[in-house]
Amino acid sequence: MNQTTSAPPRNRRARVMTAVFALVILIPSMLGFIAKFIEFIAVFRGQGEGSFAVTPMVNYLLATTGFFCLFGWALLHGMFREIEAPKQRMLETEEWLVRQEAASDSM
Amino acid sequence: MSSASLTDNRTVDVDRLVDRKLVLYFYLASLTYLFISMLGGLLMAFQLIRHNPLSGIEIFSPGRWRMVHTNAIAYGFLANALLGSMFWAVPRLTLRPVLSRLLSWFIFIAWQGVVLATAGGILLGQAQGLEWGETPTWIDPVALLGLALVVLNFLPSIVMTKGPLYVTLWYFMAALVWTFLTYAMGNFMPEYFVSGSAAGAVGGLFIHDLVGLFVTPIGWGLMYYFVPILLKKPIWSHGLSLVGFWGLAFFYPLQGIHHFLYTPIPMFLQYGAVISTIAVELVVASVIINFFGTLRGSGSAFITNLPIRWFYTGMIFYFLTCLQCAFQTTLTFQAIIHFTDWVVGHAHLVMFGVFGLWIQGIMTYLMPRLIGHEWYSRRLCEWHFWLSAISLAAMATDLIAGGLVQGHVWRALLPWDVSIEASMPFWVVRVFTGLGMFAGQIVFYVNIYRTFQLAQQGAPEAAPAARPALVGA
Ligand code: HEM
């Protein structure tokens, strides 16, 4: 079985859609995040109601830091290169397995 | 035995890659808990129309049954079915078996112990005061240990995979870690470390993260695996699917507070939850567009291919629940629907209408391969689908409408009794729709049982390894 499939021709429309969605999602979410961060600073400035919010915020920041590291790791390890290739490889793997199973069944 | 070599010099023992018996056992356990949970739901539904058949028996009191209903769904039905499906999908995607067969069986048995102890503990009045985390406190460390073993069993095959990962594996990897952390956060923090409304806020994060960081990523991960192999074509855009994954990773954990709009939690946190909910709506839209983009050109599969029909019907319900969320998350709308049956309708729509339907679609596809025989009856499979989908849609519509009525009655400051009387017709309809869903399951169980019988008799029409007859496209 050939495990090293080359990427299919890029689908231009899919790439444009990906970029558009990345922007539409990232911009409002970044704004939300920045707003959160400003509020977080306010907590430490001693606003009365602020100290309460520390628990959920710290939870979130810890989780997000983990994901940020994972994202960086994925980027550095080429996980987003040939971004469409895994979808072809996955199908080929499954088809190969099915063929092997059919052969095994008929033995 | 069949083994084959790959270009990276590994040999794959195809017959031992997936432990089919284990997957089957997970599914049977899952369906057993669904049966118990539905019984609990029906009992609660009868209680609300003042016809409780077990009235006066303390351990079967409605409050306890309600908790059994929700916990059996989350930890019995969903967790077993999702784990079973992962035991099928992970080895096939990575071409590596899970870490240990023995450990897998230990996890299966230990998990059933956890679920049964939870049900027993709840019925005996030992529930922990945390929504969805009612597991008695003494079970929590055991459950967490079980989750750690699950991570240990699956993670090696995923991280050893070379090259860019397929999106399903990203979702699974994240879900394994998230579920462990979410469970620890929800069950230990409010119990031992924080109190008051801070504990309430953590409780909000817990219930939402349980759906969004455990059920959702595994559910979507499975769809990204099963839909392409059934349609025999790749997902429309893998890049877009990764945008969906990372979007969920960064923005989902923020939004749990949206369950507590208008509570004493500081307003800036509530606004933050509203904003991140909107961000997640966009993430969800990207995922749905991707799946419908994949279906384009193969639309007839929606009719002819039964598992695909289950999957895409679930996706339509998913879209509807997210549309509901877009309204629900606004403070204006919250003022009417909070605490009403609207939320209960929403919960059934997402838990059964989406994840329940996906799971049953997967079972419809895999059961013949696991049992080793084609379905006993295609007609029963159709009945199973239509009874489940129509009854669920009717139940959700009924409860959502009932919720609006309740909200308006409360807003008008009418006496409580008035809202109960106004709710009664909706609650009666819920009983009938619940019976419809229940009937759908009974049909499914009969079909499974008869298929088992055929397999045992060695009847000739054995299931082909690749394509059960229901996969018509
Ligand atoms: C026989 C069918 C069913 C009936 C009659 C039924 C009935 C009920 C009732 C009466 C409640 C309590 C509502 C309240 O406290 O006001 C409830 C809650 C719930 N049910 Fe069901 N149910 C059924 C099936 C299911 C299934 C199959 C699922 C999920 C797969 C499910 C998920 C839930 C959830 C998540 C809640 C909690 C809702 C909330 O707290 O907002 N139910 N159900």
Side-chain angles (χ1 to χ4, degrees):
Chain A
M1 181 204 160
N2 184 6
Q3 283 273 298
T4 48
T5 337
S6 59
R10 296 273 175 144
N11 179 338
R12 218 178 94 81
R13 230 165 25 149
R15 287 173 97 190
V16 172
M17 282 296 282
T18 308
V20 169
F21 266 98
L23 287 178
V24 173
I25 291 162
L26 286 177
I27 290 171
S29 315
M30 285 290 195
L31 288 177
F33 184 79
I34 292 165
K36 280 252 148 214
F37 212 77
I38 293 169
E39 286 149 12
F40 191 61
I41 294 167
V43 169
F44 284 104
R45 284 205 181 135
Q47 284 188 1
E49 58 179 14
S51 58
F52 150 84
V54 172
T55 318
M57 275 188 182
V58 168
N59 267 341
Y60 173 70
L61 283 178
L62 279 178
T64 314
T65 311
F67 267 92
F68 203 71
C69 294
L70 186 65
F71 187 72
W73 176 86
L75 207 62
L76 291 176
H77 282 76
M79 290 289 174
F80 306 121
R81 246 175 261 146
E82 293 203 56
I83 205 162
E84 297 298 319
K87 71 179 186 188
Q88 300 289 349
R89 202 166 44 237
M90 168 267 185
L91 261 189
E92 286 167 8
T93 307
E94 181 67 25
E95 277 164 17
W96 177 82
L97 271 173
V98 167
R99 275 200 306 275
Q100 299 295 324
E101 283 166 345
S104 157
D105 280 355
S106 61
M107 276 195 319
Chain B
M1 191 190 98
S2 157
S3 49
S5 297
L6 302 173
T7 48
D8 60 2
N9 290 332
R10 279 190 301 126
T11 305
V12 177
D13 181 350
V14 179
D15 290 338
R16 288 183 61 82
L17 196 60
V18 173
D19 187 341
R20 290 173 181 232
K21 200 168 175 186
L22 179 70
V23 178
L24 180 64
Y25 273 53
F26 266 113
Y27 285 172
L28 294 179
S30 161
L31 292 173
T32 310
Y33 291 121
L34 179 61
F35 180 82
I36 295 170
S37 171
M38 281 190 162
L39 271 185
L42 279 170
L43 208 67
M44 185 67 202
F46 276 112
Q47 155 75 18
L48 287 169
I49 58 166
R50 304 187 189 114
H51 279 83
N52 183 357
L54 301 177
S55 177
I57 306 173
E58 189 184 344
I59 65 162
F60 293 136
S61 58
R64 296 181 192 189
W65 258 122
R66 189 195 190 281
M67 288 186 272
V68 169
H69 176 58
T70 50
N71 279 267
I73 282 300
Y75 305 113
F77 168 56
L78 293 176
N80 271 309
L82 295 178
L83 270 176
S85 305
M86 281 177 74
F87 273 107
W88 178 272
V90 171
R92 294 179 80 88
L93 280 166
T94 60
L95 289 179
R96 282 189 170 80
V98 290
L99 184 68
S100 152
R101 249 175 199 238
L102 201 66
L103 180 60
S104 309
W105 278 97
F106 177 76
I107 289 171
F108 171 74
I109 293 165
W111 193 251
Q112 308 323 313
V114 165
V115 181
L116 288 174
T118 302
I122 289 173
L123 289 178
L124 294 171
Q126 297 177 5
Q128 184 180 350
L130 171 78
E131 195 180 353
W132 285 104
E134 289 94 352
T135 347
T137 42
W138 57 272
I139 303 174
D140 289 338
V142 186
L144 202 63
L145 187 70
L147 288 174
L149 293 179
V150 173
V151 178
L152 188 71
N153 207 18
F154 281 115
L155 220 49
S157 9
I158 300 180
V159 292
M160 279 160 74
T161 304
K162 293 212 173 65
L165 286 183
Y166 184 59
V167 61
T168 300
L169 294 175
W170 277 117
Y171 272 114
F172 285 174
M173 193 162 58
L176 290 170
V177 180
W178 279 331
T179 308
F180 181 83
L181 293 178
T182 302
Y183 194 87
M185 173 190 77
N187 282 275
F188 297 125
M189 282 183 58
E191 187 70 25
Y192 305 112
F193 302 110
V194 289
S195 55
S197 43
V202 175
L205 284 178
F206 173 66
I207 44 176
H208 209 82
D209 287 358
L210 210 58
V211 178
L213 301 181
F214 159 53
V215 183
T216 303
I218 301 185
W220 277 121
L222 289 170
M223 287 303 99
Y224 277 116
Y225 169 69
F226 282 105
V227 167
I229 64 168
L230 280 166
L231 289 179
K232 293 203 166 297
K233 65 181 192 190
I235 192 75
W236 185 54
S237 163
H238 191 251
L240 193 58
S241 71
L242 290 180
V243 172
F245 168 74
W246 289 102
L248 190 83
F250 285 114
F251 309 124
Y252 204 93
L254 262 174
Q255 49 169 324
I257 307 280
H258 70 201
H259 286 263
F260 293 121
L261 301 182
Y262 286 125
T263 59
I265 290 173
M267 277 323 278
F268 69 76
L269 270 183
Q270 300 187 28
Y271 291 140
V274 171
I275 290 173
S276 64
T277 306
I278 293 165
V280 170
E281 293 290 331
L282 296 168
V283 172
V284 161
S286 76
V287 177
I288 290 178
I289 287 175
N290 211 354
F291 275 95
F292 278 86
T294 310
L295 188 65
R296 212 165 140 229
S298 319
S300 61
F302 185 72
I303 298 162
T304 56
N305 186 321
L306 198 49
I308 286 289
R309 199 193 305 157
W310 280 103
F311 297 159
Y312 275 85
T313 310
M315 285 178 211
I316 293 169
F317 284 141
Y318 194 83
F319 175 73
L320 291 177
T321 52
C322 293
L323 195 67
Q324 257 193 308
C325 276
F327 292 103
Q328 274 166 212
T329 200
T330 61
L331 288 159
T332 329
F333 217 71
Q334 275 287 319
I336 299 171
I337 59 145
H338 204 93
F339 291 134
T340 69
D341 272 339
W342 169 289
V343 183
V344 182
H346 176 70
H348 284 91
L349 196 57
V350 73
M351 293 304 246
F352 192 71
V354 181
F355 301 110
L357 259 56
W358 288 352
I359 284 169
Q360 290 171 90
I362 294 172
M363 288 181 182
T364 303
Y365 170 58
L366 284 187
M367 276 295 191
R369 301 177 70 174
L370 299 173
I371 299 174
H373 200 282
E374 202 43 82
W375 278 113
Y376 161 73
S377 158
R378 163 142 197 156
R379 180 176 287 195
L380 288 185
C381 286
E382 290 282 350
W383 271 100
H384 173 213
F385 172 81
W386 288 111
L387 277 169
S388 304
I390 292 178
S391 309
L392 177 274
M395 182 191 273
T397 313
D398 169 61
L399 291 172
I400 288 165
L404 287 177
V405 171
Q406 288 162 352
H408 281 101
V409 172
W410 294 346
R411 244 173 118 78
L413 298 179
L414 294 171
W416 176 251
D417 294 5
V418 177
S419 82
I420 299 287
E421 289 318 316
S423 307
M424 211 40 92
F426 297 100
W427 289 346
V428 172
V429 173
R430 182 206 356 234
V431 170
F432 284 103
T433 53
L435 286 170
M437 279 160 71
F438 199 54
Q441 287 312 308
I442 302 292
V443 167
F444 192 38
Y445 301 155
V446 169
N447 211 3
I448 292 174
Y449 178 68
R450 298 307 299 263
T451 309
F452 260 116
Q453 279 187 322
L454 288 181
Q456 270 169 358
Q457 289 159 8
E461 213 191 310
R467 290 168 66 81
L470 294 184
V471 182

